[in-house]
Amino acid sequence: MSNSSVDPKTHLNKFLSSNPEIERLELLLPDMNGVFRGKSLPVSSSDKLVSDGIHLPLSFYMGDIWGHDVDAAGLALEVGDPDGIARPVIESLAKVPWAKHPTAQIMMSVYNHDGSPVAYDPRAQLQSAVNRLAKMGLKAVVAAELEFYLIQARTKPTDRPLPPESACVANLYDVQLMAEHEDLLRDIRLACEQQAVPIDLIIAEYGRGQYEINLNHVDDPLLAADHAVLLKRIVRGCARKHGLDATFLAKPLGNEVGSGMHVHASVLDDQGNNIFSAEDGIGPKLQQATAGLLDSMLDCQAIFTPHLNSYRRILNDHFPARAITWGMDNRAVSVRIPASKGKAARLEHRISGADVNPYLVIAAILGGLANGLKQEMSPPAIQKIGDAMPSARLSSDWMGTIERFGQSETVRGMFGVDYQKAYTAVRLSEAQELNNRVTDVEHEIYLNQL
């Protein structure tokens, strides 16, 4: 949902005239964690949304997972906690079908007072990555696949998650289970249609109560990321309507597989040709892009595995790729080359959990493949099925991963020094807070024994 020639005021007035029952607008801004923050605006005040915008403190972008300011990020009171101006992404205006009262939603982006994008906005970070590709005469085509769990509704945050009662066994491609959730899955499809989120396949995944939804490819990476964050919101909203919860936590159930976000990407030249296409085998541009992704993978891992729980998925699951390698139609590798040719030639980035910020993940992917193309990198030997995995692996050290992100020249080139500093500070704050907490399981096991 990039900036367009659509007149915001005309579009808003037409929408409200066609939907006179709407009482309020939810203004949605994704923060560093991919969590929507924002405001609720009565329809009577909607004119100022498109004329003046809405003032918001920039520090909300640098809040931790609990929503607290992180002073070390450098955006809070030590610099006066300044405001930016949030303006609507007008094409995103849509009804919220699961809301109790007539409600519409609209995504926002934040700008400085001089009209320039705020670099702390994840949407602006992804747009910068798109712009860097454009300077090379290239455009990316992107789609995400998201896995999630339906779980029984919880009454308090400390309740343990439980699969739906009907999900008693692993349910990969289980059509009977999908039939039992038919009404919920239908509402997800209808909500996606209303909000212009182009989903394709819905499948029952391996874990009990786990599903996967595939999004269609689009030639606007910013729009692809919008689709991903809106899909998460749709799934959660529809699940609540049907008396369930939904979670995109990377590893919500210890004895079940984790949930990932796989990203498919190809690259077009200024004539609209897929530069990854080759008459035979894997073309040189696809190899270069893959090499760039592998080269930057450890530097950017704090984006792909952002939270403590992210590491439970990559360390304890059979399915997520851990080796930093690539292969043809091989799901055991980090970058998979699907068996597709011509216009469909693409790569699949497989290491991210479903708990990531899609804007930052896609920005890191575009940055990595752009580096590979620009520097004409060569990838390591292709990983063939049955070969022993190489020793180069994703890190299992959460704190070390964050520190590496904060020191990386590659990251600095992708995200800029200010965002690199702020992201590192917020992640370190989260890690330090969780490291200071003594868990219930430690009390259960150790308290009376030691």
Side-chain angles (χ1 to χ4, degrees):
M1 298 176 186
S2 307
N3 294 331
S4 72
S5 58
V6 175
D7 178 65
K9 187 172 184 179
T10 301
H11 189 91
L12 177 62
N13 289 339
K14 183 178 180 180
F15 176 86
L16 294 177
S17 296
S18 301
N19 301 280
E21 76 281 6
I22 297 296
E23 298 174 2
R24 65 189 181 97
L25 298 174
E26 291 183 332
L27 314 183
L28 306 178
L29 300 100
D31 69 5
M32 176 184 289
N33 301 293
V35 174
F36 276 129
R37 309 288 178 183
K39 293 187 176 184
S40 179
L41 187 73
V43 168
S44 58
S45 300
S46 60
D47 279 351
K48 69 179 182 180
L49 181 66
V50 293
S51 58
D52 302 325
I54 303 294
H55 286 244
L56 286 169
L58 298 180
S59 57
F60 89 89
Y61 278 128
M62 295 297 110
D64 62 20
I65 194 65
W66 299 277
H68 303 145
D69 287 339
V70 177
D71 291 337
L75 268 185
L77 289 178
E78 66 178 45
V79 292
D81 202 7
D83 276 350
I85 302 172
R87 299 193 182 279
V89 182
I90 199 64
E91 304 94 326
S92 70
L93 180 61
K95 295 172 71 173
V96 182
W98 59 84
K100 291 183 179 179
H101 305 288
T103 302
Q105 67 181 36
I106 189 165
M107 296 188 65
M108 310 285 287
S109 277
V110 180
Y111 298 85
N112 295 305
H113 291 274
D114 63 4
S116 60
V118 169
Y120 299 103
D121 184 345
R123 299 186 83 252
Q125 281 293 331
L126 178 50
Q127 187 62 57
S128 293
V130 170
N131 294 343
R132 287 193 292 273
L133 266 183
K135 289 180 180 178
M136 299 168 62
L138 302 173
K139 175 192 288 189
V141 178
V142 177
E145 301 169 349
L146 277 159
E147 296 168 338
F148 62 91
Y149 275 88
L150 295 177
I151 56 176
Q152 296 180 36
R154 300 181 305 151
T155 58
K156 54 184 183 298
T158 54
D159 288 345
R160 291 182 179 273
L162 296 171
E165 292 180 359
S166 57
C168 58
V169 294
N171 53 235
L172 184 64
Y173 301 137
D174 190 330
V175 293
Q176 178 59 37
L177 185 69
M178 293 184 70
E180 292 179 18
H181 290 145
E182 180 179 3
D183 290 342
L184 167 55
L185 298 177
R186 180 176 183 272
D187 278 355
I188 289 173
R189 280 199 179 276
L190 292 176
C192 285
E193 288 177 10
Q194 281 192 285
Q195 297 188 1
V197 175
I199 65 172
D200 186 14
L201 291 174
I202 301 178
I203 62 170
E205 259 292 349
Y206 193 85
R208 291 184 297 158
Q210 188 184 36
Y211 286 89
E212 178 184 295
I213 296 181
N214 295 349
L215 288 154
N216 286 330
H217 290 75
V218 291
D219 63 0
D220 180 348
L222 189 57
L223 183 58
D226 287 342
H227 290 161
V229 294
L230 289 173
L231 176 60
K232 287 186 176 186
R233 175 174 159 86
I234 288 167
V235 168
R236 290 194 188 98
C238 290
R240 286 194 296 270
K241 179 181 173 182
H242 287 264
L244 294 169
D245 285 338
T247 180
F248 291 83
L249 191 65
K251 184 77 170 177
L253 303 168
N255 294 324
E256 301 290 341
V257 298
S259 294
M261 187 185 84
H262 301 159
V263 177
H264 291 252
S266 57
V267 177
L268 308 180
D269 63 19
D270 55 10
Q271 302 298 312
N273 301 309
N274 184 350
I275 69 171
F276 291 168
S277 177
E279 291 185 6
D280 186 40
I282 302 172
K285 296 296 185 183
L286 182 48
Q287 292 190 45
Q288 291 168 11
T290 298
L293 290 177
L294 298 176
D295 181 71
S296 60
M297 194 165 283
L298 284 175
D299 286 350
C300 293
Q301 191 184 329
I303 296 283
F304 307 135
T305 56
H307 306 293
L308 172 63
N309 184 261
S310 308
Y311 291 80
R312 297 192 186 281
R313 171 179 171 269
I314 64 169
L315 294 178
N316 299 327
D317 273 6
H318 295 294
F319 294 103
R322 288 193 60 203
I324 301 175
T325 188
W326 66 301
M328 171 66 77
D329 202 19
N330 182 354
R331 287 182 168 83
V333 298
S334 301
V335 179
R336 170 178 172 257
I337 310 301
S340 301
K341 296 182 179 180
K343 293 182 179 179
R346 64 191 188 276
L347 56 81
E348 180 187 13
H349 191 273
R350 293 182 53 80
I351 64 172
S352 295
D355 57 342
V356 295
N357 182 323
Y359 298 99
L360 301 183
V361 166
I362 296 175
I365 290 172
L366 297 190
L369 65 83
N371 287 345
L373 292 168
K374 188 181 299 184
Q375 300 174 36
E376 298 184 347
M377 293 182 181
S378 296
I382 194 167
Q383 185 75 23
K384 296 180 181 179
I385 295 173
D387 287 351
M389 283 293 175
S391 58
R393 300 291 180 98
L394 294 176
S395 174
S396 60
D397 178 2
W398 186 26
M399 191 76 77
T401 296
I402 299 168
E403 291 171 347
R404 176 165 180 159
F405 180 92
Q407 297 165 5
S408 167
E409 291 289 344
T410 298
V411 167
R412 197 163 301 135
M414 291 181 185
F415 293 95
V417 64
D418 291 339
Y419 199 81
Q420 180 185 37
K421 173 187 173 183
Y423 188 90
T424 302
V426 172
R427 285 287 166 260
L428 284 176
S429 176
E430 179 182 338
Q432 289 161 355
E433 171 66 22
L434 290 179
N435 283 339
N436 288 339
R437 295 194 179 191
V438 180
T439 64
D440 290 344
V441 72
E442 290 171 82
H443 292 155
E444 176 187 337
I445 296 171
Y446 300 126
L447 202 61
N448 292 327
Q449 298 294 330
L450 300 175

